[in-house]
Amino acid sequence: MQKFSFFIFIIIIVLSQACTVSFINTGIDYSELKSFSIEQFGAKDSNAPPTSGQTFSEQLKDRVLNNTRLEYKNEEGDVQFSGNVTGYTITALAPQADQTVAFQRLTIKISIDYKNSKKKDGSENWSQTFSRFANFSSEQDLSSVEEQLIQDIYDQILDDVFNRAFSGW
């Protein structure tokens, strides 16, 4: 019995170590970069909720404020983000024999322009479209799960954007 308890203890330790998430800001030179700004994101896809761009802008602002020492400026920060929600699609997945589908997928694409105004040569500027998705049961009405799906997708895209901008990934 003692060996079994020890074995469980080791598994718990290993799993807890494997599940930690850490943002290491190795790409931020705080002697050079002091601030960031975010131009209000828009929703270019007609299927996207009208406030989806604004929601993403606010969440990006919160992510940078909570994970860096950069200060937010309304305009012309040392680091500048702008972009749009450019894709918002729902597709059917996993067709079944009775010609119904088991799952549907919500995919969101966000195009982002990043500018480091301290690098006059533009060497650190980039534009990229980030795309992520979440599946939901076809038995669920989109309106009942949409808010949570958007949040899950935005969390993934925010991780991607943050890592691309500040961690050198």
Side-chain angles (χ1 to χ4, degrees):
M1 185 66 177
Q2 235 177 10
K3 287 183 180 183
F4 180 73
S5 297
F6 179 73
F7 179 73
I8 296 297
F9 175 75
I10 295 296
I11 288 176
I12 290 171
I13 295 295
V14 169
L15 288 176
S16 68
Q17 294 298 319
C19 296
T20 59
V21 176
S22 174
F23 290 108
I24 301 172
N25 301 326
T26 57
I28 299 176
D29 180 359
Y30 289 109
S31 66
E32 184 176 303
L33 300 176
K34 306 285 186 210
S35 64
F36 74 99
S37 60
I38 299 173
E39 184 179 307
Q40 187 69 48
F41 280 58
K44 297 284 186 179
D45 190 296
S46 61
N47 293 327
T51 59
S52 60
Q54 178 183 2
T55 301
F56 186 81
S57 298
E58 288 301 315
Q59 290 184 11
L60 178 58
K61 176 182 170 183
D62 290 343
R63 180 68 58 105
V64 177
L65 283 172
N66 292 331
N67 291 289
T68 72
R69 296 187 314 227
L70 299 176
E71 293 179 21
Y72 177 75
K73 290 177 75 175
N74 287 329
E75 296 178 347
E76 299 182 20
D78 297 336
V79 172
Q80 301 164 12
F81 293 92
S82 61
N84 292 292
V85 176
T86 56
Y88 193 93
T89 57
I90 298 169
T91 53
L93 299 175
Q96 297 174 332
D98 59 359
Q99 296 188 4
T100 63
V101 293
F103 293 100
Q104 296 186 76
R105 173 174 288 171
L106 172 61
T107 303
I108 299 176
K109 294 180 183 180
I110 300 179
S111 296
I112 296 182
D113 296 315
Y114 170 89
K115 180 181 177 187
N116 180 335
S117 65
K118 295 294 185 175
K119 298 288 184 183
K120 299 299 181 197
D121 64 355
S123 61
E124 292 186 13
N125 298 350
W126 50 264
S127 294
Q128 183 174 342
T129 298
F130 296 86
S131 178
R132 291 294 186 147
F133 64 87
N135 297 332
F136 62 101
S137 171
S138 61
E139 295 174 3
Q140 294 174 301
D141 181 39
L142 176 62
S143 62
S144 67
V145 295
E146 186 173 29
E147 189 175 315
Q148 184 61 50
L149 293 173
I150 291 171
Q151 186 57 55
D152 293 346
I153 294 168
Y154 279 6
D155 286 344
Q156 294 173 40
I157 292 175
L158 287 165
D159 286 346
D160 293 343
V161 171
F162 187 90
N163 287 331
R164 175 77 161 95
F166 300 117
S167 297
W169 289 9

